Short mmCIF file of all heavy atoms in Angstrom, two decimals:
data_model
loop_
_atom_site.label_atom_id
_atom_site.label_comp_id
_atom_site.label_asym_id
_atom_site.label_seq_id
_atom_site.Cartn_x
_atom_site.Cartn_y
_atom_site.Cartn_z
N GLN A 165 -47.23 40.24 45.98
CA GLN A 165 -47.16 39.02 46.76
C GLN A 165 -46.15 39.15 47.88
O GLN A 165 -45.27 40.01 47.80
CB GLN A 165 -46.79 37.86 45.87
CG GLN A 165 -47.90 37.28 45.02
CD GLN A 165 -48.00 38.04 43.72
OE1 GLN A 165 -47.37 39.12 43.55
NE2 GLN A 165 -48.75 37.54 42.79
N ASN A 166 -46.27 38.23 48.82
CA ASN A 166 -45.33 38.27 49.95
C ASN A 166 -44.10 37.42 49.58
O ASN A 166 -44.16 36.18 49.56
CB ASN A 166 -46.01 37.68 51.19
CG ASN A 166 -45.07 37.67 52.37
OD1 ASN A 166 -44.00 38.21 52.33
ND2 ASN A 166 -45.52 37.02 53.44
N PHE A 167 -43.00 38.13 49.32
CA PHE A 167 -41.82 37.39 48.87
C PHE A 167 -41.12 36.64 50.02
O PHE A 167 -40.09 35.98 49.84
CB PHE A 167 -40.83 38.39 48.21
CG PHE A 167 -41.33 38.86 46.89
CD1 PHE A 167 -41.89 40.13 46.76
CD2 PHE A 167 -41.17 38.08 45.79
CE1 PHE A 167 -42.35 40.57 45.54
CE2 PHE A 167 -41.61 38.54 44.53
CZ PHE A 167 -42.21 39.78 44.43
N LYS A 168 -41.63 36.80 51.22
CA LYS A 168 -41.07 36.04 52.35
C LYS A 168 -41.80 34.70 52.50
O LYS A 168 -41.43 33.93 53.40
CB LYS A 168 -41.20 36.88 53.63
CG LYS A 168 -40.26 38.08 53.65
CD LYS A 168 -40.47 38.92 54.90
CE LYS A 168 -39.60 40.16 54.86
NZ LYS A 168 -39.95 41.16 55.87
N SER A 169 -42.79 34.49 51.70
CA SER A 169 -43.57 33.23 51.85
C SER A 169 -42.87 32.08 51.07
O SER A 169 -42.52 32.26 49.89
CB SER A 169 -44.95 33.43 51.28
OG SER A 169 -45.58 32.23 51.02
N TRP A 173 -41.66 31.44 47.08
CA TRP A 173 -40.36 30.88 46.68
C TRP A 173 -40.60 29.73 45.71
O TRP A 173 -39.83 29.54 44.76
CB TRP A 173 -39.59 30.38 47.87
CG TRP A 173 -39.29 31.40 48.93
CD1 TRP A 173 -39.43 32.77 48.86
CD2 TRP A 173 -38.78 31.17 50.27
NE1 TRP A 173 -39.07 33.35 50.05
CE2 TRP A 173 -38.67 32.38 50.92
CE3 TRP A 173 -38.43 29.98 50.94
CZ2 TRP A 173 -38.21 32.49 52.22
CZ3 TRP A 173 -38.00 30.10 52.23
CH2 TRP A 173 -37.90 31.33 52.89
N GLY B 882 -33.97 40.62 41.34
CA GLY B 882 -34.76 39.77 42.26
C GLY B 882 -34.76 40.35 43.65
O GLY B 882 -35.79 40.49 44.29
N PHE B 883 -33.54 40.69 44.12
CA PHE B 883 -33.46 41.25 45.47
C PHE B 883 -34.18 42.57 45.57
O PHE B 883 -34.89 42.88 46.54
CB PHE B 883 -31.97 41.38 45.89
CG PHE B 883 -31.80 41.67 47.35
CD1 PHE B 883 -31.92 40.68 48.32
CD2 PHE B 883 -31.62 42.99 47.78
CE1 PHE B 883 -31.80 40.99 49.66
CE2 PHE B 883 -31.49 43.29 49.09
CZ PHE B 883 -31.57 42.29 50.05
N SER B 884 -34.01 43.39 44.52
CA SER B 884 -34.60 44.75 44.54
C SER B 884 -36.15 44.63 44.55
O SER B 884 -36.81 45.33 45.29
CB SER B 884 -34.17 45.54 43.31
OG SER B 884 -32.81 45.62 43.26
N VAL B 885 -36.68 43.77 43.69
CA VAL B 885 -38.17 43.65 43.60
C VAL B 885 -38.69 43.23 44.98
O VAL B 885 -39.64 43.80 45.53
CB VAL B 885 -38.58 42.68 42.53
CG1 VAL B 885 -40.06 42.28 42.62
CG2 VAL B 885 -38.31 43.27 41.16
N ALA B 886 -38.06 42.19 45.55
CA ALA B 886 -38.54 41.73 46.86
C ALA B 886 -38.40 42.84 47.91
O ALA B 886 -39.35 43.08 48.67
CB ALA B 886 -37.72 40.51 47.28
N SER B 887 -37.30 43.56 47.92
CA SER B 887 -37.07 44.58 48.95
C SER B 887 -37.98 45.78 48.73
O SER B 887 -38.69 46.24 49.68
CB SER B 887 -35.64 45.04 48.92
OG SER B 887 -34.77 43.98 49.00
N LEU B 888 -38.05 46.26 47.52
CA LEU B 888 -38.80 47.47 47.26
C LEU B 888 -40.30 47.28 47.46
O LEU B 888 -41.00 48.16 47.98
CB LEU B 888 -38.52 48.01 45.84
CG LEU B 888 -37.10 48.47 45.62
CD1 LEU B 888 -36.86 48.82 44.17
CD2 LEU B 888 -36.76 49.63 46.51
N THR B 889 -40.77 46.09 47.10
CA THR B 889 -42.20 45.87 47.28
C THR B 889 -42.55 45.79 48.80
O THR B 889 -43.64 46.15 49.25
CB THR B 889 -42.74 44.57 46.61
OG1 THR B 889 -41.86 43.51 47.00
CG2 THR B 889 -42.69 44.70 45.10
N HIS B 890 -41.60 45.30 49.57
CA HIS B 890 -41.86 45.21 51.01
C HIS B 890 -41.77 46.58 51.65
O HIS B 890 -42.49 46.87 52.59
CB HIS B 890 -40.87 44.24 51.69
CG HIS B 890 -41.37 42.83 51.66
ND1 HIS B 890 -42.01 42.23 52.71
CD2 HIS B 890 -41.34 41.91 50.67
CE1 HIS B 890 -42.36 41.01 52.37
NE2 HIS B 890 -41.96 40.77 51.14
N THR B 891 -40.90 47.43 51.13
CA THR B 891 -40.83 48.78 51.72
C THR B 891 -41.96 49.69 51.18
O THR B 891 -42.36 50.64 51.83
CB THR B 891 -39.47 49.44 51.44
OG1 THR B 891 -39.16 49.27 50.07
CG2 THR B 891 -38.36 48.81 52.25
N ASN B 892 -42.45 49.31 50.00
CA ASN B 892 -43.51 50.10 49.38
C ASN B 892 -44.81 49.94 50.16
O ASN B 892 -45.64 50.85 50.22
CB ASN B 892 -43.67 49.70 47.96
CG ASN B 892 -44.75 50.41 47.21
OD1 ASN B 892 -45.77 49.77 46.81
ND2 ASN B 892 -44.59 51.70 47.05
N TRP B 893 -45.03 48.78 50.72
CA TRP B 893 -46.29 48.50 51.49
C TRP B 893 -45.81 47.87 52.80
O TRP B 893 -45.89 46.64 52.97
CB TRP B 893 -47.20 47.57 50.70
CG TRP B 893 -48.54 47.40 51.33
CD1 TRP B 893 -48.87 46.79 52.50
CD2 TRP B 893 -49.81 47.83 50.77
NE1 TRP B 893 -50.17 46.85 52.70
CE2 TRP B 893 -50.81 47.46 51.70
CE3 TRP B 893 -50.19 48.53 49.63
CZ2 TRP B 893 -52.17 47.78 51.46
CZ3 TRP B 893 -51.51 48.79 49.42
CH2 TRP B 893 -52.51 48.41 50.32
N PRO B 894 -45.29 48.69 53.71
CA PRO B 894 -44.63 48.07 54.89
C PRO B 894 -45.61 47.38 55.81
O PRO B 894 -46.67 47.96 56.18
CB PRO B 894 -43.93 49.26 55.54
CG PRO B 894 -44.55 50.47 54.98
CD PRO B 894 -45.23 50.15 53.73
N MET B 895 -45.32 46.20 56.14
CA MET B 895 -46.08 45.47 57.19
C MET B 895 -45.17 45.35 58.38
O MET B 895 -44.20 44.63 58.40
CB MET B 895 -46.43 44.05 56.71
CG MET B 895 -47.57 44.04 55.73
SD MET B 895 -48.29 42.38 55.57
CE MET B 895 -46.91 41.45 54.99
N ILE B 896 -45.47 46.22 59.41
CA ILE B 896 -44.59 46.22 60.58
C ILE B 896 -44.95 45.07 61.48
O ILE B 896 -46.05 45.03 62.04
CB ILE B 896 -44.68 47.54 61.36
CG1 ILE B 896 -44.51 48.76 60.34
CG2 ILE B 896 -43.68 47.61 62.49
CD1 ILE B 896 -43.17 48.82 59.68
N ILE B 897 -44.07 44.11 61.54
CA ILE B 897 -44.35 42.89 62.36
C ILE B 897 -43.61 43.06 63.67
O ILE B 897 -42.44 43.40 63.67
CB ILE B 897 -43.89 41.64 61.60
CG1 ILE B 897 -44.69 41.55 60.30
CG2 ILE B 897 -44.05 40.41 62.41
CD1 ILE B 897 -44.14 40.60 59.30
N PRO B 898 -44.24 42.82 64.77
CA PRO B 898 -43.58 42.99 66.06
C PRO B 898 -42.39 42.00 66.14
O PRO B 898 -42.22 41.16 65.31
CB PRO B 898 -44.66 42.63 67.10
CG PRO B 898 -45.93 42.77 66.36
CD PRO B 898 -45.65 42.45 64.92
N ALA B 899 -41.62 42.17 67.18
CA ALA B 899 -40.44 41.36 67.49
C ALA B 899 -39.27 41.74 66.64
O ALA B 899 -38.35 40.98 66.47
CB ALA B 899 -40.74 39.89 67.33
N GLY B 900 -39.31 42.96 66.06
CA GLY B 900 -38.15 43.53 65.39
C GLY B 900 -37.74 42.82 64.14
O GLY B 900 -36.62 42.89 63.70
N LYS B 901 -38.72 42.17 63.45
CA LYS B 901 -38.35 41.48 62.19
C LYS B 901 -38.15 42.53 61.10
O LYS B 901 -39.02 43.40 60.93
CB LYS B 901 -39.42 40.50 61.82
CG LYS B 901 -39.47 39.31 62.78
CD LYS B 901 -40.36 38.23 62.36
CE LYS B 901 -40.25 37.08 63.35
NZ LYS B 901 -41.24 36.04 63.11
N PRO B 902 -37.04 42.45 60.39
CA PRO B 902 -36.77 43.53 59.40
C PRO B 902 -37.66 43.41 58.15
O PRO B 902 -38.05 42.32 57.76
CB PRO B 902 -35.28 43.27 59.04
CG PRO B 902 -35.08 41.83 59.34
CD PRO B 902 -35.99 41.45 60.46
N LEU B 903 -37.97 44.58 57.59
CA LEU B 903 -38.76 44.57 56.35
C LEU B 903 -37.94 43.96 55.23
O LEU B 903 -38.44 43.14 54.45
CB LEU B 903 -39.10 46.01 55.97
CG LEU B 903 -40.37 46.57 56.59
CD1 LEU B 903 -40.53 48.03 56.12
CD2 LEU B 903 -41.58 45.76 56.25
N VAL B 904 -36.68 44.38 55.10
CA VAL B 904 -35.78 43.83 54.10
C VAL B 904 -34.96 42.74 54.79
O VAL B 904 -34.02 43.00 55.50
CB VAL B 904 -34.89 44.86 53.48
CG1 VAL B 904 -33.91 44.28 52.49
CG2 VAL B 904 -35.73 45.94 52.82
N SER B 905 -35.36 41.50 54.50
CA SER B 905 -34.76 40.40 55.22
C SER B 905 -33.89 39.57 54.21
O SER B 905 -34.42 38.98 53.29
CB SER B 905 -35.87 39.49 55.79
OG SER B 905 -35.33 38.26 56.13
N ILE B 906 -32.59 39.64 54.45
CA ILE B 906 -31.67 38.96 53.50
C ILE B 906 -31.95 37.46 53.42
O ILE B 906 -32.11 36.88 52.32
CB ILE B 906 -30.22 39.30 53.81
CG1 ILE B 906 -29.98 40.77 53.49
CG2 ILE B 906 -29.26 38.42 53.00
CD1 ILE B 906 -28.62 41.32 53.88
N PRO B 907 -32.04 36.73 54.53
CA PRO B 907 -32.28 35.30 54.41
C PRO B 907 -33.56 34.96 53.64
O PRO B 907 -33.56 34.04 52.82
CB PRO B 907 -32.37 34.83 55.87
CG PRO B 907 -31.64 35.83 56.65
CD PRO B 907 -31.88 37.13 55.96
N ALA B 908 -34.61 35.73 53.93
CA ALA B 908 -35.90 35.43 53.28
C ALA B 908 -35.87 35.74 51.77
O ALA B 908 -36.61 35.15 51.02
CB ALA B 908 -37.02 36.20 53.96
N PHE B 909 -35.02 36.67 51.36
CA PHE B 909 -35.02 37.07 49.98
C PHE B 909 -33.91 36.31 49.16
O PHE B 909 -33.81 36.51 47.95
CB PHE B 909 -34.78 38.57 49.82
CG PHE B 909 -35.94 39.39 50.36
CD1 PHE B 909 -35.74 40.73 50.69
CD2 PHE B 909 -37.19 38.82 50.54
CE1 PHE B 909 -36.80 41.50 51.20
CE2 PHE B 909 -38.25 39.62 51.04
CZ PHE B 909 -38.04 40.93 51.37
N ILE B 910 -33.16 35.49 49.84
CA ILE B 910 -32.09 34.74 49.15
C ILE B 910 -32.65 33.90 48.06
O ILE B 910 -32.06 33.81 46.93
CB ILE B 910 -31.28 33.88 50.16
CG1 ILE B 910 -30.32 34.77 50.99
CG2 ILE B 910 -30.51 32.77 49.50
CD1 ILE B 910 -29.15 35.36 50.21
#
Side-chain angles (χ1 to χ4, degrees):
Chain A
Q165 282 87 347
N166 179 9
F167 289 101
K168 290 175 183 168
S169 161
W173 302 348
Chain B
F883 190 79
S884 304
V885 166
S887 306
L888 294 175
T889 52
H890 273 264
T891 48
N892 180 245
W893 189 293
M895 283 197 301
I896 309 297
I897 297 163
K901 291 189 178 172
L903 274 180
V904 176
S905 165
I906 290 173
F909 294 160
I910 283 289

